[in-house]
Amino acid sequence: MDNLLVLWQAPTLTLQLLIDGVLVGAIYCLPAYGMALVWGVMKIINVAQGDFVMLGGYVALYVSYAGIHPMFGVPVAAAVLFVFGWIVYQLVIRHIVDRDLFVSVLATFGISIVLQQLANQLFSANVETAEANLGSTYLFGSTIVVGNIKLVAVAIALVLAVVLFLFLKHSRLGQAIRATAQNPRAARILGIETSQVFAMTYALNAAICGAAGALVVQIWIIHPYIGLTYTIRAFMIVVVAGLGNIAGVVLAGLGLGAAEQFASFLLGAEYQAAFVFSLLVVILLWRSQMLARRRLYLK
Amino acid sequence: MTVWKWGVALLALAATGGASAMAAESDDTIVLGAAVSLTGNYSTNGKNTKDGYELAVKRVNEMGGVNVGGKAYKLKVVYYDDESTPARGAQLVERLINQDGVKYILGPYSSGLTKAIAPVTEKYKIPMVEANGADRDLFTQGYRYTFGVLSTAEQYLTEAVNLAAEVGKAQGRDLKTFKVAIVVENDPFSADVRNGVVDDAKRFGMPIVIDDKFPRDINDMTPSLTKVRALKPDLLVVSGHDKGALLGARSVYEGRVDVPMMAMTHCDSAQVAEKFGKNADYILCGSQWDRSLKYSDKWFGTAEEYAVRFQKEFNYAPPYQGAESTAGVLVYVDAFTRAGTLDVEKVRDAIATTDLATIYGQVKFDETGKNVAKPMVLYQIQNGEYKLVAPTKVASAKFLYPTPAWTERMK
C-alpha cells in the first residue's frame, strides 16, 4: 500500500508508468500479430515465436558488430528471419499443418528447444545488448523521461501494424491469406495454392518476430533462452484479442504492457510474472463464460 | 536387431571401461575430476572454470609436479560436460567417483550446480574444492568435504554499504536518513547478495526504502527505477547476474534516474563499462578479484603475471572465474604436499587447515569450509574504465561521490 501512496503523492509517476507500459506493450504486439496470423491461417500455435524474436536480436547484434547502426538491423533481421521462417516451414511445419493442435504445439516446442540450443552453441550463453545511442526525451519539464529508442520502437510497431492490415486487406497475397484462413478447402478449389500461402504466412510471421527482436536487443537484452518471455506474452495477447483482429492485438498488447508496469510498481517486481499468469487465467475463465453464455442463448 | 543392440551395449561398456582405465590413478599421476558446463546456459563461465583449472595443472606440472612425501606426481583433471543442469552434474560426479575412481573433486560453475554436487561428494566422503559456488547456503549444511575458495554471495556488496556509511559519516549525516534501495533478481545467489546488504544496512541503522525482487525472465526494470525516482534513495543496489547488470546500467541512464551512489554485481562479466562507456560512470561493482591486486604465489608470481600467462594461453583476459578456479587447484596441490600422503581423509584434513597465498588472494577456510581470508573488492567505473576504489588498503583510485545529476552529466 506504501507504493500506492507514492503514486498518490506524485501523480506524474502514474503517467510515467503508463507511458513506459505502452512502450513495452508495443514491442509485445509484434510477435503477437505474427502469432495471430499463423494461428488464424494455419491453425498452428507457434511456440517458437519468442525464439524467432531471439534470433532477430542476434542478427541486429551482428549488424552492430559490423560497425553499422543497430537500427539497420531491423530490416536486415526481418529479411533474414523471413528466409529462415520459410526454411522452417519447408522442413517441419509443412508436415503438421493439417494435424491437430496438439501436434503443432509439440512440434513448434521442439523447434523452440532446437533453436535455443543452436543459438547457445553459435552465440554462447552471454547476455547481449546493442547500443543505439539515441538519447532520451524529457516530457513535461523533466518529470517524465523516455528513452528515444522506445519511441522509435513504438513507431515501428504501429507502422508494421498498419502495413500488415493494409497488406491483408488489399494485396493479392493478403486476400489469399484471408481466404485460406476462412476456409482452406474452398480456397484451394478457387485455385489458391494454399501451401504457398502457408509458407508465406509462416515466413512473414518469422520476419515480424525478427524485427521485434532487433528492437528488443537495443531496448533490453537478449540471450539464447529469452524466447519464452515473448511467446507467453504473445499467446496471452492473442487469447485476449482473438484471431484476425489486428486492432484488438494492438490494444491488448499495450494494455498488457501497462498492466505489467503497474503490477510491478504496486505489488513489487516479484509479482510481475505471477500477475501476468493470473491475468491469463482470469481472461480464459471470462472468455469461456462468455462462450457458454452465447451457447445458451443459441439454444 | 537384437544383435545390433548387444553390439552397441558392448561398445558402450568398452568405451566406459576404457575411460575409467584411463582415469584410474597410475603410479605417478594424481587425477582430479570435474563436471563443468561446456554446453548450455553456463557454457561461457564453464569454459572460464575449465581454463582456470587447466592453467594451474599445466603450470604445476611444468614446475615438476606435486611433491607428496618425497615423490613427485603429475596432475591431471578428468572433465565431463554437465550441460549446465544440476541433475546431470550430480550424476557425472557420481560417475567420476564410482566408475573413474577419482578421489578428489573440483567444483563446477555456479551455486546451483555446486549445491547439487555437494551431497554426492559428502556421501562418498570425497573432498570437493569448489571455486564457483558463492551461495551462503552451501556452507550452512554442515558439509565436511566441501571447501569454497571464493567469497560468499552475501559479501559481494557489503563493501559498498561500508563505503556508503563512510561517506555518510564524512558528510556528518545521521545514517538513519541514509536510504537504501535494493533491486535484485529472485534467485538464490542474488537473494544472498540482498541479505548481506540488508544485514549491513541494519548494522548502520540505514532504512531500506525499496526491496524489489525481479523475476528471472525480466526484460524491463523501469517500474523499480520509477520507484527510485520517487523515493530518492542514497544508495541503489542492483544484482541479477549479467542481465541485471546490463538492464540496471542501461535503464538508469536511459531513464535519467539520479541516485548519488549505485552498486551492482557482475559488471565485469557483463562488460557494462565496455558496452555503455561513460554512461555507466560512477557505478560501483563488487568483484572477487582483479589482476591489479597485490596478490602473488610461488607458482605464477603476481596476479598480473598470472593474467598475462592466462591471456597467452587462452587468448582472452582472465575473468575472476578463471583466477578462482586456478586457486582451487592450488589448494589441492598445497594440501597434497602438506598431507605427505594421498590418503583421502588426511588430504581432507590438510585442506581444512589451508592457509595459502595465491594469485587469487589468501585462502583460509573456517569450520564450515568457506574462505574467510579474502575480501571482495569494489570497482568504480570512471571514464568508462574499471578503477579499484575499495577496500582502501588495495585501492588504486579515489572513490567519486556523489554521482552528479544527469542534467549535469549530459552537458
Side-chain angles (χ1 to χ4, degrees), chain A residues 106-118:
Chain A
L106 265 188
T108 52
F109 185 56
I111 294 171
S112 156
I113 292 174
V114 169
L115 292 182
Q116 285 171 19
Q117 297 301 331
L118 281 180

Side-chain angles (χ1 to χ4, degrees), chain B residues 78-101:
Chain B
V78 179
Y79 297 100
Y80 285 121
D81 173 17
D82 62 32
E83 298 157 23
S84 306
T85 43
R88 187 90 182 115
Q91 210 179 357
L92 288 172
V93 166
E94 193 132 17
R95 180 191 165 125
L96 279 167
I97 295 170
N98 281 335
Q99 293 186 25
D100 300 343

Side-chain angles (χ1 to χ4, degrees), chain B residues 167-189:
Chain B
V167 294
K169 273 183 201 147
Q171 287 177 327
R173 280 181 60 176
D174 182 2
L175 288 183
K176 289 196 179 59
T177 64
F178 202 98
K179 291 179 281 188
V180 180
I182 303 176
V183 180
V184 297
E185 188 178 345
N186 208 354
D187 79 315
F189 167 81

Side-chain angles (χ1 to χ4, degrees), chain B residues 197-236:
Chain B
V197 170
V198 169
D199 287 350
D200 273 30
K202 266 195 198 135
R203 193 154 52 83
F204 293 116
M206 301 172 179
I208 290 161
V209 291
I210 299 172
D211 191 3
D212 264 3
K213 299 177 196 68
F214 56 79
R216 278 180 74 118
D217 68 342
I218 186 171
N219 53 16
D220 191 48
M221 209 183 264
T222 44
S224 296
L225 293 178
T226 305
K227 248 183 248 180
V228 168
R229 200 179 305 193
L231 298 169
K232 300 190 174 40
D234 299 276
L235 168 65
L236 168 64

Side-chain angles (χ1 to χ4, degrees), chain B residues 94-117:
Chain B
E94 193 132 17
R95 180 191 165 125
L96 279 167
I97 295 170
N98 281 335
Q99 293 186 25
D100 300 343
V102 170
K103 297 199 185 72
Y104 318 101
I105 298 290
L106 287 163
Y109 177 76
S110 90
S111 295
L113 271 294
T114 312
K115 272 185 186 171
I117 288 171

Side-chain angles (χ1 to χ4, degrees), chain A residues 5-119:
Chain A
L5 209 65
V6 171
L7 270 194
W8 184 254
Q9 282 161 352
T12 52
L13 287 182
T14 316
L15 199 57
Q16 171 86 52
L17 284 173
L18 192 67
I19 291 173
D20 280 332
V22 164
L23 299 182
V24 173
I27 300 291
Y28 293 158
C29 285
L30 290 171
Y33 306 146
M35 185 178 263
L37 199 62
V38 168
W39 196 342
V41 175
M42 306 161 75
K43 311 288 176 282
I44 282 178
I45 299 177
N46 186 35
V47 183
Q49 202 73 352
D51 302 287
F52 290 153
V53 173
M54 176 267 293
L55 288 178
Y58 278 105
V59 171
L61 185 70
Y62 278 83
V63 165
S64 79
Y65 283 165
I68 304 165
H69 194 277
M71 250 328 159
F72 290 103
V74 177
V76 176
V80 170
L81 265 289
F82 185 87
V83 175
F84 186 79
W86 191 83
I87 293 171
V88 171
Y89 174 82
Q90 298 300 347
L91 287 178
V92 184
I93 307 295
R94 191 158 62 94
H95 305 287
I96 56 166
V97 169
D98 299 327
R99 307 289 199 82
D100 64 66
L101 208 57
F102 183 65
V103 174
S104 77
V105 168
L106 265 188
T108 52
F109 185 56
I111 294 171
S112 156
I113 292 174
V114 169
L115 292 182
Q116 285 171 19
Q117 297 301 331
L118 281 180

